[in-house]
Amino acid sequence: MSIAAIAPVPARRKAMSRLITALALFVLCAVIFCTVAGSVLVRQADDRQEVDRRNALLGAITDLRASGANISALKPDVVRGLERIAGLKDLRFERDPVEDSNREMLSLLDKNGRIAGWFSWVPDRSMSRALGTLGPFLAVTAVLLIAFAIGALWQVRRAVRDLHKSERLAWKLAHEDMLTGLPNHRKMIDLIERALAERASGEVVALALVDLDGLNDVNDASGQEAGDQLLKALAARLRELLPRGAIGARYDGDEFALLLTAPDVASAEAAMRTITMSLGRPFWLNDQAVHVGATAGFALAPEHAQTRDEIVRRADLALRAAKRRERGGVLGFEPAMDRDFSDRRFIERELRRALLDNSLDVHYQAVVTSDGQRIVGAEALLRWTHPERGAIPPMTFIPVAEQSGLMGKLGEFVLRRAISDARRWPELSIAVNLSPVQVRDPQLVELVAQILSDLGFEPSRLVLEVTESVLIDQPQEAGARLAALRALGLRLALDDFGTGYSSLTYLQQFKFDTLKIDRAFVTPLGRSSDSQAMIQAIVALGRALGLTLLAEGVETEEQRVLLRLAGCEEMQGYLFARPGPREALDRLLEQNSPAARSAVA
Ligand code: C2E
Ligand code: MG
Ligand code: MG
């Protein structure tokens, strides 16, 4: 199956051209026919009149005979009379036949049956003569008519050609991606339908959706044209990689689709993986290696789906799961993804309700100095207790909120609540997590400034935590927004440091105040010497960049000591305090107050 298979049929164009030629021939024949037929008719009319006049002459002679006149010697006045009666021109009566081919003749017999003489007259062919005079004029008219007809037909032909051109263009626009020349989304949907309908028994139809990572990076860093070049290069590579009969399409922005029919599941899966992996290899553009990762999800028919909508939906579910699980990976559909999907729908619905009901809460986890003695801040963590499902962790509902457009409202709720609560703890800084979706919102800076001023909160006490993923998609835009936030006087922390992508680049490029070392580096401390070396390297890096180092997820005294020895200044973890409601932090602060500490001492 190929894209040309559904292209507009060229036979239609051929038929149109034939019709135009036929019309031109018809007009030409019509003009010739009219000319010939016209002259024949005119001649016939003249002949008929001639016959009538001859008959009239014969009738008049018969009457003359009947009146007993002497036929053999007709007087000139009788001849004139006959001439008038028969309507003839220049009628003469002579004994011998005239030798003038331009004159018509009629013999007159006497009563003995012998020729008594000859009538002759000039035939009246006025109509033929008139036609002869009009001839050149008619010929010119006919030529003009033919020329006009040819001109008109040429115009029609051109109009038809233009129509075909625009029809072809419209068809291309509707079915082809203009940039890459690959089939577009709409076309791919048709092709999927067709592949499923034509699938022979035992065959497998595979559909993969491939998402490109980092295309926006290329657009931001090198401009839209470079992004376009990259997409073209990608399409060219895709064409090379596709096995016979397979189709690659530009599905949506930075999403591509692969469709193929294979003899069995194993070869379909292998082909999908090979192609996706090859798409993820770097490209050479303008003498530079450009790296875009490719993550794919695929579904198979009949294993996972029977219909077009089902295979598209399930390939999409697999892609979403692949993106969540591991960028750059390839994941086939699994039934659990369907459950996951309905679960996400449930969460989205219930979260909307929770936002309206005000049934969300914010808990606080203390941030302490590395000696564990002093609380210097708190991190606000969103909490949701569902009436039936109980506590739903933020890692479950935040991605749903991000995808369903609820993150803006959710984020605003946490900011307001956290800043409002933090007024109880004037000596602490308050850290609030920002989702990448919030950072992408152009209104964010205004919103934060508004909340700070509404609640009369000192900006320097607010810390906004972002993860590296914020900087992946649109580094320039995100960078500018973060700088604008920082300009409000608040502080920025890079959360979960070490779990993202190219941390060093981002650390150099964007200005942060605090580096939060992820729990993944803290947990193995004391168990492996590598982890100790890793922490030391991160601390050295943070120090070099003038950042405050904060370790997350500190659970044991051994971890605390090792982190402190490595030079980590602040810590957060179950060792000091679990996240809890604001009253819990009130109590903790009370116990931790200098008065309380000296009382204990
Ligand atoms: P995070 O910002 O890195 O928050 C720290 C997470 O580690 C919290 O999980 C906290 O309860 C947990 N934690 C703290 N100390 C320890 C420890 O010693 N051991 C262990 N095992 N865990 C510890 P939580 O509350 O489930 O939040 C998970 C993630 O959800 C957060 O990671 C953050 O990325 C996100 N999150 C939470 N609240 C919000 C919010 O209001 N907005 C946004 N955008 N994200 C939020
Ligand atoms: Mg955090
Ligand atoms: Mg963290």
Side-chain angles (χ1 to χ4, degrees), residues 458-484:
E458 171 56 44
S460 61
R461 286 181 54 210
L462 178 64
V463 181
L464 291 180
E465 296 189 5
V466 296
T467 52
E468 282 160 296
S469 60
V470 162
L471 306 160
I472 300 293
D473 286 344
Q474 284 157 326
Q476 240 119 43
E477 193 197 335
R481 193 139 306 131
L482 294 182

Side-chain angles (χ1 to χ4, degrees), residues 130-200:
L131 191 69
T133 328
L134 283 175
F137 172 72
L138 287 177
V140 169
T141 312
V143 167
L144 286 177
L145 210 68
I146 290 173
F148 174 76
I150 290 174
L153 288 173
W154 185 70
Q155 287 292 346
V156 169
R157 214 189 161 115
R158 252 180 49 166
V160 169
R161 209 176 41 226
D162 289 352
L163 199 73
H164 279 310
K165 255 194 204 163
S166 44
E167 193 187 41
R168 246 195 337 262
L169 189 71
W171 188 91
K172 269 185 129 189
L173 280 172
H175 296 86
E176 220 177 66
D177 172 53
M178 287 291 112
L179 182 69
T180 58
L182 292 174
N184 62 11
H185 185 112
R186 182 178 147 186
K187 173 79 188 163
M188 192 56 162
I189 294 291
D190 288 347
L191 293 171
I192 295 167
E193 178 110 58
R194 194 191 265 215
L196 290 175
E198 288 172 1
R199 186 183 68 82

